Amino acid sequence: MCRSIKTLRPPVLPEEATEDDIRAAALQYVRKVSGFRAPAAHNREVFERAVDEIAEATARLLDGLEVRGAHSGVRRQEREPQPDAV
């Protein structure tokens, strides 16, 4: 397991994971699996596509998880934007 990939769900992460958090974890995963920190030019497209696909799968996973007993049982997609306080 790549030790720099952190748990991205509450209550381990106090706030919801951001797109940047998800992408960083996906990048670390692809780096670990491929054995490349940065791909050569001829591998860049497949490397980036893998990062994108893993980030999307991670977002779907986090959106679908139901964490019982956590301080917030609201899924990421179900949250409504809050109007600014006047």
Side-chain angles (χ1 to χ4, degrees), residues 2-64:
C2 188
R3 294 179 187 193
S4 60
I5 298 175
K6 61 184 179 180
T7 301
L8 297 180
R9 64 161 180 81
V12 177
L13 196 64
E15 298 286 325
E16 289 181 2
T18 65
E19 288 183 29
D20 288 341
D21 294 330
I22 292 169
R23 182 147 181 94
L27 177 60
Q28 289 300 320
Y29 176 81
V30 172
R31 285 176 173 169
K32 184 68 166 189
V33 171
S34 70
F36 296 114
R37 174 156 169 61
H42 62 277
N43 286 327
R44 188 167 293 124
E45 183 179 336
V46 70
F47 190 93
E48 289 298 320
R49 186 171 53 241
V51 172
D52 292 342
E53 290 173 0
I54 292 167
E56 290 170 12
T58 301
R60 284 192 307 272
L61 170 67
L62 293 172
D63 287 342

Side-chain angles (χ1 to χ4, degrees), residues 45-86:
E45 183 179 336
V46 70
F47 190 93
E48 289 298 320
R49 186 171 53 241
V51 172
D52 292 342
E53 290 173 0
I54 292 167
E56 290 170 12
T58 301
R60 284 192 307 272
L61 170 67
L62 293 172
D63 287 342
L65 288 176
E66 179 182 335
V67 181
R68 296 185 179 181
H71 57 84
S72 174
V74 178
R75 292 182 181 169
R76 288 168 26 103
Q77 290 181 337
E78 295 174 345
R79 289 216 173 147
E80 294 292 325
Q82 298 298 316
D84 293 333
V86 178

